[in-house]
Amino acid sequence: GGFFGAPDFSPSSYEKAPTPIEFEETLGALQELVKAGKVRYIGVSNETPYGVCTMAQLAKQFPDLYPKIVSIQNSYSLVMRKDFEAGLAEACYHHNVGLL
């Protein structure tokens, strides 16, 4: 086989970026895993402040449809502080989301 299950996969064959997946679709799929007992808590990685706020708001408005995210795993160190401290820290604090 080739890359990604395709025998003739070539990265240059893709002309445009893939279509982004809506937050509702992602959270809905994760809620199915929670209800099935396969996952206890939901975390995200490399997310933006907008994404954290949107997902937290969806879970608050529709708790039966969407799970609450409890953690985020973004790069954060003495060298890579800008991304987290420029809005994401405030969004995480406001929505009670922990940083891993």
Side-chain angles (χ1 to χ4, degrees), residues 24 31 55-68:
E24 293 86 353
Q31 180 69 350
M55 287 187 273
Q57 188 62 33
L58 285 169
K60 189 175 184 178
Q61 283 182 322
F62 307 103
D64 293 336
L65 295 176
Y66 306 119
K68 179 187 181 309

Side-chain angles (χ1 to χ4, degrees), residues 41-97:
Y41 302 104
I42 302 300
V44 295
S45 63
N46 301 320
E47 192 53 74
T48 62
Y50 174 77
V52 169
C53 291
T54 301
M55 287 187 273
Q57 188 62 33
L58 285 169
K60 189 175 184 178
Q61 283 182 322
F62 307 103
D64 293 336
L65 295 176
Y66 306 119
K68 179 187 181 309
I69 58 170
V70 298
S71 67
I72 185 166
Q73 184 175 357
N74 281 24
S75 296
Y76 185 69
S77 67
L78 289 174
V79 178
M80 294 289 299
R81 296 172 55 175
K82 172 183 65 93
D83 294 336
F84 182 73
E85 293 177 355
L88 194 55
E90 186 176 354
C92 288
Y93 176 79
H94 179 72
H95 295 293
N96 199 26
V97 175

Side-chain angles (χ1 to χ4, degrees), residues 13-35:
S13 66
Y14 290 94
E15 296 178 9
K16 64 176 191 167
T19 305
I21 298 172
E22 299 293 328
F23 292 122
E24 293 86 353
E25 184 179 348
T26 301
L27 289 175
L30 292 171
Q31 180 69 350
E32 289 178 19
L33 295 174
V34 171
K35 284 188 176 184

